[in-house]
Amino acid sequence: MDLNCATVLCATVDDTIYLRFLNPENDDDLLDNGAIDANLIEVFNQNNQEITFTIEEYPDMGMFLAIPVSRGPFMQQSFTIAIEEADSFTMDIETSLPKSGGMLWSLHNLGEF
């Protein structure tokens, strides 16, 4: 699959990162239309440990890869998302505690896949 990082939309809620994979040419949802087989996705953390994820569908929004993220200690975390073994990208995030409460996320280094 020859896609770039512009095809990944990210939203954060609580302790989960939600990724949506879109075709850059027509915005088709690649999980929903079967272009990406969710059964062939693997997610690894910075220690190369496999992370359990879910695929979640939201009406009128599409299908999302939901990756749990450690809430503490606040730090930089890295995830490698492998799709069909041949295609992968690494996503770096940094979590911090804002003065107003809750959690802040900073996304870095969404590579091409």
PDB file of all heavy atoms in Angstrom, residues 49-75:
ATOM      1  N   GLN A  49       6.771  -4.638  22.600  1.00  0.00           N
ATOM      2  CA  GLN A  49       5.727  -5.497  23.156  1.00  0.00           C
ATOM      3  C   GLN A  49       4.444  -5.254  22.370  1.00  0.00           C
ATOM      4  O   GLN A  49       4.092  -4.103  22.086  1.00  0.00           O
ATOM      5  CB  GLN A  49       5.493  -5.177  24.628  1.00  0.00           C
ATOM      6  CG  GLN A  49       6.700  -5.430  25.498  1.00  0.00           C
ATOM      7  CD  GLN A  49       6.528  -4.824  26.881  1.00  0.00           C
ATOM      8  OE1 GLN A  49       6.038  -3.706  27.035  1.00  0.00           O
ATOM      9  NE2 GLN A  49       6.943  -5.569  27.898  1.00  0.00           N
ATOM     10  N   GLU A  50       3.751  -6.324  22.035  1.00  0.00           N
ATOM     11  CA  GLU A  50       2.512  -6.180  21.284  1.00  0.00           C
ATOM     12  C   GLU A  50       1.430  -5.563  22.165  1.00  0.00           C
ATOM     13  O   GLU A  50       1.269  -5.926  23.329  1.00  0.00           O
ATOM     14  CB  GLU A  50       2.051  -7.532  20.747  1.00  0.00           C
ATOM     15  CG  GLU A  50       0.944  -7.391  19.734  1.00  0.00           C
ATOM     16  CD  GLU A  50       0.719  -8.645  18.917  1.00  0.00           C
ATOM     17  OE1 GLU A  50       1.443  -9.646  19.111  1.00  0.00           O
ATOM     18  OE2 GLU A  50      -0.184  -8.620  18.078  1.00  0.00           O
ATOM     19  N   ILE A  51       0.713  -4.607  21.610  1.00  0.00           N
ATOM     20  CA  ILE A  51      -0.342  -3.886  22.313  1.00  0.00           C
ATOM     21  C   ILE A  51      -1.694  -4.372  21.793  1.00  0.00           C
ATOM     22  O   ILE A  51      -1.907  -4.465  20.583  1.00  0.00           O
ATOM     23  CB  ILE A  51      -0.221  -2.357  22.073  1.00  0.00           C
ATOM     24  CG1 ILE A  51       1.122  -1.835  22.549  1.00  0.00           C
ATOM     25  CG2 ILE A  51      -1.376  -1.603  22.726  1.00  0.00           C
ATOM     26  CD1 ILE A  51       1.371  -1.976  24.020  1.00  0.00           C
ATOM     27  N   THR A  52      -2.596  -4.665  22.705  1.00  0.00           N
ATOM     28  CA  THR A  52      -3.949  -5.050  22.316  1.00  0.00           C
ATOM     29  C   THR A  52      -4.723  -3.790  21.941  1.00  0.00           C
ATOM     30  O   THR A  52      -4.744  -2.816  22.684  1.00  0.00           O
ATOM     31  CB  THR A  52      -4.660  -5.773  23.475  1.00  0.00           C
ATOM     32  OG1 THR A  52      -3.892  -6.929  23.823  1.00  0.00           O
ATOM     33  CG2 THR A  52      -6.061  -6.199  23.086  1.00  0.00           C
ATOM     34  N   PHE A  53      -5.344  -3.811  20.781  1.00  0.00           N
ATOM     35  CA  PHE A  53      -6.114  -2.666  20.290  1.00  0.00           C
ATOM     36  C   PHE A  53      -7.508  -3.151  19.911  1.00  0.00           C
ATOM     37  O   PHE A  53      -7.780  -4.355  19.883  1.00  0.00           O
ATOM     38  CB  PHE A  53      -5.422  -2.027  19.080  1.00  0.00           C
ATOM     39  CG  PHE A  53      -5.318  -2.955  17.902  1.00  0.00           C
ATOM     40  CD1 PHE A  53      -6.339  -3.016  16.968  1.00  0.00           C
ATOM     41  CD2 PHE A  53      -4.218  -3.772  17.737  1.00  0.00           C
ATOM     42  CE1 PHE A  53      -6.256  -3.893  15.894  1.00  0.00           C
ATOM     43  CE2 PHE A  53      -4.118  -4.635  16.659  1.00  0.00           C
ATOM     44  CZ  PHE A  53      -5.145  -4.703  15.740  1.00  0.00           C
ATOM     45  N   THR A  54      -8.372  -2.211  19.625  1.00  0.00           N
ATOM     46  CA  THR A  54      -9.706  -2.545  19.139  1.00  0.00           C
ATOM     47  C   THR A  54      -9.975  -1.767  17.859  1.00  0.00           C
ATOM     48  O   THR A  54      -9.313  -0.758  17.578  1.00  0.00           O
ATOM     49  CB  THR A  54     -10.792  -2.217  20.177  1.00  0.00           C
ATOM     50  OG1 THR A  54     -10.724  -0.818  20.498  1.00  0.00           O
ATOM     51  CG2 THR A  54     -10.629  -3.048  21.444  1.00  0.00           C
ATOM     52  N   ILE A  55     -10.931  -2.244  17.105  1.00  0.00           N
ATOM     53  CA  ILE A  55     -11.457  -1.505  15.961  1.00  0.00           C
ATOM     54  C   ILE A  55     -12.851  -1.056  16.381  1.00  0.00           C
ATOM     55  O   ILE A  55     -13.676  -1.869  16.790  1.00  0.00           O
ATOM     56  CB  ILE A  55     -11.541  -2.389  14.691  1.00  0.00           C
ATOM     57  CG1 ILE A  55     -10.167  -2.936  14.314  1.00  0.00           C
ATOM     58  CG2 ILE A  55     -12.173  -1.606  13.541  1.00  0.00           C
ATOM     59  CD1 ILE A  55      -9.157  -1.886  13.893  1.00  0.00           C
ATOM     60  N   GLU A  56     -13.082   0.254  16.325  1.00  0.00           N
ATOM     61  CA  GLU A  56     -14.356   0.793  16.772  1.00  0.00           C
ATOM     62  C   GLU A  56     -15.013   1.577  15.643  1.00  0.00           C
ATOM     63  O   GLU A  56     -14.345   2.290  14.906  1.00  0.00           O
ATOM     64  CB  GLU A  56     -14.146   1.684  17.994  1.00  0.00           C
ATOM     65  CG  GLU A  56     -13.543   0.907  19.155  1.00  0.00           C
ATOM     66  CD  GLU A  56     -13.374   1.716  20.411  1.00  0.00           C
ATOM     67  OE1 GLU A  56     -13.959   2.816  20.514  1.00  0.00           O
ATOM     68  OE2 GLU A  56     -12.666   1.243  21.312  1.00  0.00           O
ATOM     69  N   GLU A  57     -16.310   1.409  15.542  1.00  0.00           N
ATOM     70  CA  GLU A  57     -17.067   2.111  14.504  1.00  0.00           C
ATOM     71  C   GLU A  57     -17.971   3.141  15.157  1.00  0.00           C
ATOM     72  O   GLU A  57     -18.655   2.853  16.142  1.00  0.00           O
ATOM     73  CB  GLU A  57     -17.904   1.126  13.693  1.00  0.00           C
ATOM     74  CG  GLU A  57     -18.629   1.789  12.548  1.00  0.00           C
ATOM     75  CD  GLU A  57     -19.313   0.800  11.618  1.00  0.00           C
ATOM     76  OE1 GLU A  57     -19.317  -0.405  11.917  1.00  0.00           O
ATOM     77  OE2 GLU A  57     -19.834   1.256  10.588  1.00  0.00           O
ATOM     78  N   TYR A  58     -17.949   4.351  14.598  1.00  0.00           N
ATOM     79  CA  TYR A  58     -18.792   5.434  15.082  1.00  0.00           C
ATOM     80  C   TYR A  58     -19.677   5.894  13.940  1.00  0.00           C
ATOM     81  O   TYR A  58     -19.172   6.241  12.871  1.00  0.00           O
ATOM     82  CB  TYR A  58     -17.938   6.596  15.612  1.00  0.00           C
ATOM     83  CG  TYR A  58     -17.150   6.203  16.836  1.00  0.00           C
ATOM     84  CD1 TYR A  58     -15.849   5.712  16.740  1.00  0.00           C
ATOM     85  CD2 TYR A  58     -17.729   6.278  18.096  1.00  0.00           C
ATOM     86  CE1 TYR A  58     -15.142   5.319  17.871  1.00  0.00           C
ATOM     87  CE2 TYR A  58     -17.027   5.889  19.226  1.00  0.00           C
ATOM     88  CZ  TYR A  58     -15.735   5.413  19.102  1.00  0.00           C
ATOM     89  OH  TYR A  58     -15.049   5.021  20.212  1.00  0.00           O
ATOM     90  N   PRO A  59     -21.016   5.884  14.145  1.00  0.00           N
ATOM     91  CA  PRO A  59     -21.926   6.286  13.074  1.00  0.00           C
ATOM     92  C   PRO A  59     -21.571   7.660  12.526  1.00  0.00           C
ATOM     93  O   PRO A  59     -21.224   8.574  13.265  1.00  0.00           O
ATOM     94  CB  PRO A  59     -23.300   6.313  13.769  1.00  0.00           C
ATOM     95  CG  PRO A  59     -23.134   5.399  14.943  1.00  0.00           C
ATOM     96  CD  PRO A  59     -21.710   5.535  15.377  1.00  0.00           C
ATOM     97  N   ASP A  60     -21.625   7.768  11.234  1.00  0.00           N
ATOM     98  CA  ASP A  60     -21.341   9.017  10.510  1.00  0.00           C
ATOM     99  C   ASP A  60     -19.894   9.488  10.641  1.00  0.00           C
ATOM    100  O   ASP A  60     -19.569  10.590  10.214  1.00  0.00           O
ATOM    101  CB  ASP A  60     -22.276  10.153  10.952  1.00  0.00           C
ATOM    102  CG  ASP A  60     -23.738   9.824  10.704  1.00  0.00           C
ATOM    103  OD1 ASP A  60     -24.049   9.222   9.656  1.00  0.00           O
ATOM    104  OD2 ASP A  60     -24.565  10.157  11.563  1.00  0.00           O
ATOM    105  N   MET A  61     -19.025   8.691  11.262  1.00  0.00           N
ATOM    106  CA  MET A  61     -17.612   9.069  11.383  1.00  0.00           C
ATOM    107  C   MET A  61     -16.703   8.019  10.767  1.00  0.00           C
ATOM    108  O   MET A  61     -15.632   8.342  10.285  1.00  0.00           O
ATOM    109  CB  MET A  61     -17.244   9.302  12.844  1.00  0.00           C
ATOM    110  CG  MET A  61     -17.903  10.514  13.448  1.00  0.00           C
ATOM    111  SD  MET A  61     -17.423  10.765  15.163  1.00  0.00           S
ATOM    112  CE  MET A  61     -15.698  11.102  15.008  1.00  0.00           C
ATOM    113  N   GLY A  62     -17.061   6.747  10.848  1.00  0.00           N
ATOM    114  CA  GLY A  62     -16.243   5.702  10.259  1.00  0.00           C
ATOM    115  C   GLY A  62     -15.658   4.755  11.282  1.00  0.00           C
ATOM    116  O   GLY A  62     -16.064   4.727  12.445  1.00  0.00           O
ATOM    117  N   MET A  63     -14.662   3.993  10.809  1.00  0.00           N
ATOM    118  CA  MET A  63     -14.010   2.992  11.653  1.00  0.00           C
ATOM    119  C   MET A  63     -12.640   3.496  12.086  1.00  0.00           C
ATOM    120  O   MET A  63     -11.916   4.106  11.296  1.00  0.00           O
ATOM    121  CB  MET A  63     -13.896   1.679  10.899  1.00  0.00           C
ATOM    122  CG  MET A  63     -15.266   1.069  10.591  1.00  0.00           C
ATOM    123  SD  MET A  63     -15.184  -0.514   9.770  1.00  0.00           S
ATOM    124  CE  MET A  63     -14.631  -1.547  11.106  1.00  0.00           C
ATOM    125  N   PHE A  64     -12.294   3.215  13.346  1.00  0.00           N
ATOM    126  CA  PHE A  64     -11.066   3.715  13.936  1.00  0.00           C
ATOM    127  C   PHE A  64     -10.280   2.578  14.579  1.00  0.00           C
ATOM    128  O   PHE A  64     -10.864   1.682  15.179  1.00  0.00           O
ATOM    129  CB  PHE A  64     -11.372   4.759  15.014  1.00  0.00           C
ATOM    130  CG  PHE A  64     -11.943   6.039  14.485  1.00  0.00           C
ATOM    131  CD1 PHE A  64     -13.279   6.125  14.147  1.00  0.00           C
ATOM    132  CD2 PHE A  64     -11.131   7.151  14.318  1.00  0.00           C
ATOM    133  CE1 PHE A  64     -13.815   7.305  13.652  1.00  0.00           C
ATOM    134  CE2 PHE A  64     -11.657   8.333  13.831  1.00  0.00           C
ATOM    135  CZ  PHE A  64     -12.997   8.411  13.492  1.00  0.00           C
ATOM    136  N   LEU A  65      -8.967   2.665  14.477  1.00  0.00           N
ATOM    137  CA  LEU A  65      -8.061   1.814  15.234  1.00  0.00           C
ATOM    138  C   LEU A  65      -7.884   2.503  16.584  1.00  0.00           C
ATOM    139  O   LEU A  65      -7.441   3.655  16.634  1.00  0.00           O
ATOM    140  CB  LEU A  65      -6.731   1.689  14.504  1.00  0.00           C
ATOM    141  CG  LEU A  65      -5.604   0.960  15.213  1.00  0.00           C
ATOM    142  CD1 LEU A  65      -5.916  -0.528  15.297  1.00  0.00           C
ATOM    143  CD2 LEU A  65      -4.302   1.174  14.484  1.00  0.00           C
ATOM    144  N   ALA A  66      -8.271   1.846  17.673  1.00  0.00           N
ATOM    145  CA  ALA A  66      -8.211   2.436  19.013  1.00  0.00           C
ATOM    146  C   ALA A  66      -7.065   1.794  19.784  1.00  0.00           C
ATOM    147  O   ALA A  66      -7.081   0.593  20.048  1.00  0.00           O
ATOM    148  CB  ALA A  66      -9.531   2.239  19.740  1.00  0.00           C
ATOM    149  N   ILE A  67      -6.062   2.608  20.153  1.00  0.00           N
ATOM    150  CA  ILE A  67      -4.860   2.128  20.838  1.00  0.00           C
ATOM    151  C   ILE A  67      -4.840   2.698  22.255  1.00  0.00           C
ATOM    152  O   ILE A  67      -4.840   3.921  22.432  1.00  0.00           O
ATOM    153  CB  ILE A  67      -3.589   2.566  20.085  1.00  0.00           C
ATOM    154  CG1 ILE A  67      -3.627   2.072  18.639  1.00  0.00           C
ATOM    155  CG2 ILE A  67      -2.337   2.072  20.803  1.00  0.00           C
ATOM    156  CD1 ILE A  67      -2.529   2.670  17.774  1.00  0.00           C
ATOM    157  N   PRO A  68      -4.793   1.835  23.278  1.00  0.00           N
ATOM    158  CA  PRO A  68      -4.706   2.347  24.651  1.00  0.00           C
ATOM    159  C   PRO A  68      -3.325   2.937  24.920  1.00  0.00           C
ATOM    160  O   PRO A  68      -2.320   2.435  24.440  1.00  0.00           O
ATOM    161  CB  PRO A  68      -4.944   1.097  25.507  1.00  0.00           C
ATOM    162  CG  PRO A  68      -4.535  -0.044  24.652  1.00  0.00           C
ATOM    163  CD  PRO A  68      -4.806   0.374  23.231  1.00  0.00           C
ATOM    164  N   VAL A  69      -3.315   4.016  25.688  1.00  0.00           N
ATOM    165  CA  VAL A  69      -2.072   4.717  26.009  1.00  0.00           C
ATOM    166  C   VAL A  69      -1.958   4.830  27.522  1.00  0.00           C
ATOM    167  O   VAL A  69      -2.931   5.165  28.199  1.00  0.00           O
ATOM    168  CB  VAL A  69      -2.055   6.128  25.371  1.00  0.00           C
ATOM    169  CG1 VAL A  69      -0.811   6.886  25.768  1.00  0.00           C
ATOM    170  CG2 VAL A  69      -2.169   6.026  23.864  1.00  0.00           C
ATOM    171  N   SER A  70      -0.777   4.565  28.030  1.00  0.00           N
ATOM    172  CA  SER A  70      -0.534   4.656  29.462  1.00  0.00           C
ATOM    173  C   SER A  70      -0.765   6.085  29.938  1.00  0.00           C
ATOM    174  O   SER A  70      -0.268   7.038  29.349  1.00  0.00           O
ATOM    175  CB  SER A  70       0.898   4.221  29.772  1.00  0.00           C
ATOM    176  OG  SER A  70       1.198   4.448  31.119  1.00  0.00           O
ATOM    177  N   ARG A  71      -1.503   6.233  31.033  1.00  0.00           N
ATOM    178  CA  ARG A  71      -1.785   7.568  31.577  1.00  0.00           C
ATOM    179  C   ARG A  71      -0.675   8.055  32.475  1.00  0.00           C
ATOM    180  O   ARG A  71      -0.629   9.214  32.844  1.00  0.00           O
ATOM    181  CB  ARG A  71      -3.083   7.536  32.355  1.00  0.00           C
ATOM    182  CG  ARG A  71      -4.263   7.253  31.448  1.00  0.00           C
ATOM    183  CD  ARG A  71      -5.522   7.562  32.127  1.00  0.00           C
ATOM    184  NE  ARG A  71      -5.661   9.005  32.193  1.00  0.00           N
ATOM    185  CZ  ARG A  71      -6.794   9.635  32.368  1.00  0.00           C
ATOM    186  NH1 ARG A  71      -7.881   8.957  32.504  1.00  0.00           N
ATOM    187  NH2 ARG A  71      -6.857  10.941  32.438  1.00  0.00           N
ATOM    188  N   GLY A  72       0.185   7.227  32.888  1.00  0.00           N
ATOM    189  CA  GLY A  72       1.266   7.659  33.753  1.00  0.00           C
ATOM    190  C   GLY A  72       2.305   6.579  33.842  1.00  0.00           C
ATOM    191  O   GLY A  72       1.990   5.421  33.639  1.00  0.00           O
ATOM    192  N   PRO A  73       3.512   6.911  34.053  1.00  0.00           N
ATOM    193  CA  PRO A  73       3.962   8.299  34.200  1.00  0.00           C
ATOM    194  C   PRO A  73       3.864   9.035  32.872  1.00  0.00           C
ATOM    195  O   PRO A  73       3.884   8.421  31.810  1.00  0.00           O
ATOM    196  CB  PRO A  73       5.421   8.151  34.639  1.00  0.00           C
ATOM    197  CG  PRO A  73       5.857   6.857  34.045  1.00  0.00           C
ATOM    198  CD  PRO A  73       4.636   5.974  34.057  1.00  0.00           C
ATOM    199  N   PHE A  74       3.723  10.347  32.954  1.00  0.00           N
ATOM    200  CA  PHE A  74       3.660  11.155  31.752  1.00  0.00           C
ATOM    201  C   PHE A  74       5.027  11.149  31.098  1.00  0.00           C
ATOM    202  O   PHE A  74       6.036  11.389  31.751  1.00  0.00           O
ATOM    203  CB  PHE A  74       3.194  12.571  32.086  1.00  0.00           C
ATOM    204  CG  PHE A  74       1.813  12.569  32.656  1.00  0.00           C
ATOM    205  CD1 PHE A  74       1.595  12.812  33.994  1.00  0.00           C
ATOM    206  CD2 PHE A  74       0.728  12.284  31.854  1.00  0.00           C
ATOM    207  CE1 PHE A  74       0.319  12.792  34.521  1.00  0.00           C
ATOM    208  CE2 PHE A  74      -0.555  12.254  32.360  1.00  0.00           C
ATOM    209  CZ  PHE A  74      -0.757  12.511  33.696  1.00  0.00           C
ATOM    210  N   MET A  75       5.048  10.849  29.811  1.00  0.00           N
ATOM    211  CA  MET A  75       6.325  10.667  29.133  1.00  0.00           C
ATOM    212  C   MET A  75       6.112  10.553  27.633  1.00  0.00           C
ATOM    213  O   MET A  75       4.991  10.567  27.151  1.00  0.00           O
ATOM    214  CB  MET A  75       6.981   9.375  29.618  1.00  0.00           C
ATOM    215  CG  MET A  75       6.166   8.141  29.292  1.00  0.00           C
ATOM    216  SD  MET A  75       6.926   6.646  29.912  1.00  0.00           S
ATOM    217  CE  MET A  75       5.694   5.464  29.441  1.00  0.00           C
TER     218      MET A  75
END
